[in-house]
Amino acid sequence: MTERPEGDTVSYTVENRIAWVKYNRPEKRNCMSPKLNRQMMRVLDELEFRDDVGVLVLTGEGDAFSAGMDLQEYFRENEAQGIHAIRKAQREAYGWWDRLRWYEKPTIGMVNGWAFGGAYGPLHALDIVVAADDATFGLSEINWGILPGGGASKVAQELMPFRKAIYHAMMGENLTGKQAAEQGLVTESVPADHLSARVLEIAQVLLKKDQNALRSTKWAMKRMSEMTFDNAMDYLIRAQEALNSMGGLAARKEATRQFLDEKTFKPGLGAFDTAKIAK
Ligand code: ACO
């Protein structure tokens, strides 16, 4: 096959307020080349503030989520050019992972197959990750003589119990989706034939929540991991006050009205009707 043009390395569709974004190099098991990294940033930019997008899903075309960094185009070709090319490629990759981590919209990972090394960066950035039971996760770096850089070892150390993470990084043994869920690397795993239905179900629940409250909640959950208890307590007060001035007061007032006066919903059992918030 002739080389895929840059604009074709990522594909997406928007259906019913869900953006389904796909790594689109199935013939290369969706490994991340500099072209793909640049295109992914463009796609994230394009979707982030669209009114018709409420949730973003990241998955892979074909039988891979992503086979990590492209050993030919990301490593070999840039190393041949020198440090300027290496740094440029790193910034392009880390740039979109960071954008995804602090994305304005809720994000879901749908791990449909291979997920190696560099793919742990986006995995960590995504808010909720569902894997197929038979997906394959690996820190394969040790198998080809490097350490798991690009944040991959940090991701494993942060998400998995330490004894499991260090074993995973040192042994180069793969985990199934089921094991990845048991060890905290992903949120849950489901049979492959149920994967997109489960992701759709989660996306539909997220779409019903108040979007400002959802954004504040996900950012708080991520920021707090590096805070002391006292700092987190204070941050949460400030974050709620900031949320109040972004429509939070009106949302809470309406939700309280629906519960106490209208008696049309119970906060313990689901979300209020956000369509009724006074504009
Ligand atoms: N970099 C460059 N090319 C890749 C990569 C990669 N990470 N992964 C797959 N490809 C290419 C293969 O070279 C092959 O290209 P070709 O058709 O031109 O020969 C094509 O994708 C298909 O790959 P196969 O190996 O034939 O596919 P298979 O389904 O048999 O195996 C598997 C899939 C297990 C994912 C295998 O491709 C593999 O081990 N890839 C590397 C995974 C990895 O260790 N990634 C690096 C992690 S470390 C990091 O990201 C920093």
Side-chain angles (χ1 to χ4, degrees):
M1 176 185 167
T2 52
E3 202 177 327
R4 199 175 272 275
E6 186 161 321
D8 200 24
T9 55
V10 177
S11 65
Y12 71 87
T13 54
V14 177
E15 289 160 40
N16 302 320
R17 306 201 61 232
I18 304 168
W20 299 86
V21 178
K22 288 186 176 179
Y23 293 103
N24 193 34
R25 300 180 74 208
E27 68 284 358
K28 294 286 180 187
R29 305 302 179 263
N30 297 324
C31 65
M32 288 175 270
S33 62
K35 285 180 190 152
L36 181 145
N37 290 328
R38 287 192 290 271
Q39 186 59 21
M40 190 65 87
M41 183 64 113
R42 280 186 207 108
V43 168
L44 294 180
D45 272 345
E46 145 78 16
L47 296 170
E48 191 166 22
F49 294 103
R50 267 174 57 165
D51 290 339
D52 64 337
V53 174
V55 173
L56 182 141
V57 176
L58 177 64
T59 189
E61 184 64 48
D63 63 1
F65 178 70
S66 169
M69 308 319 291
D70 188 317
L71 271 61
Q72 172 70 25
E73 295 184 35
Y74 182 86
F75 285 109
R76 185 188 271 172
E77 291 176 12
N78 286 319
E79 281 160 9
Q81 288 182 59
I83 190 70
H84 69 283
I86 294 169
R87 287 286 179 271
K88 180 172 181 292
Q90 286 169 334
R91 285 173 186 147
E92 286 166 349
Y94 303 170
W96 78 259
W97 303 347
D98 194 56
R99 171 66 63 84
L100 191 61
R101 188 157 177 237
W102 301 109
Y103 212 57
E104 295 274 337
K105 305 274 167 71
T107 60
I108 306 173
M110 181 166 104
V111 183
N112 51 311
W114 308 112
F116 285 108
Y120 283 32
L123 270 188
H124 181 248
L126 291 155
D127 302 330
I128 293 170
V129 180
V130 185
D133 285 342
D134 59 359
T136 303
F137 293 79
L139 285 181
S140 55
E141 286 87 340
I142 197 65
N143 293 340
W144 60 285
I146 68 166
L147 61 77
S153 44
K154 175 66 178 158
V155 170
Q157 175 260 309
E158 208 166 273
L159 297 180
M160 299 163 74
F162 183 73
R163 282 285 164 221
K164 297 292 186 190
I166 193 168
Y167 183 93
H168 189 50
M170 291 179 69
M171 295 292 283
E173 284 177 10
N174 297 333
L175 299 173
T176 62
K178 218 166 185 262
Q179 290 170 316
E182 284 160 8
Q183 298 186 17
L185 192 55
V186 299
T187 316
E188 64 182 61
S189 80
V190 295
D193 59 4
H194 191 52
L195 184 62
S196 54
R198 176 62 184 140
V199 168
L200 183 61
E201 192 174 74
I202 294 172
Q204 284 169 342
V205 171
L206 292 173
L207 284 172
K208 291 204 180 94
K209 310 289 185 200
D210 178 71
Q211 295 301 301
N212 291 322
L214 202 50
R215 185 175 52 236
S216 303
T217 300
K218 69 178 229 173
W219 286 348
M221 291 304 291
K222 292 181 185 194
R223 293 265 179 229
M224 284 188 310
S225 63
E226 289 174 3
M227 291 180 196
T228 61
F229 194 87
D230 284 349
N231 285 344
M233 292 292 280
D234 188 63
Y235 171 86
L236 292 170
I237 290 171
R238 312 289 151 214
Q240 180 60 49
E241 287 171 356
L243 173 60
N244 289 348
S245 62
M246 286 193 70
L249 271 186
R252 196 189 323 179
K253 208 169 145 193
E254 175 56 26
T256 308
R257 192 188 69 76
Q258 289 177 24
F259 176 51
L260 293 182
D261 307 331
E262 208 176 75
K263 299 196 183 300
T264 49
F265 102 111
K266 295 177 191 291
L269 302 179
F272 73 108
D273 183 355
T274 56
K276 291 186 181 166
I277 301 171
K279 298 284 174 229

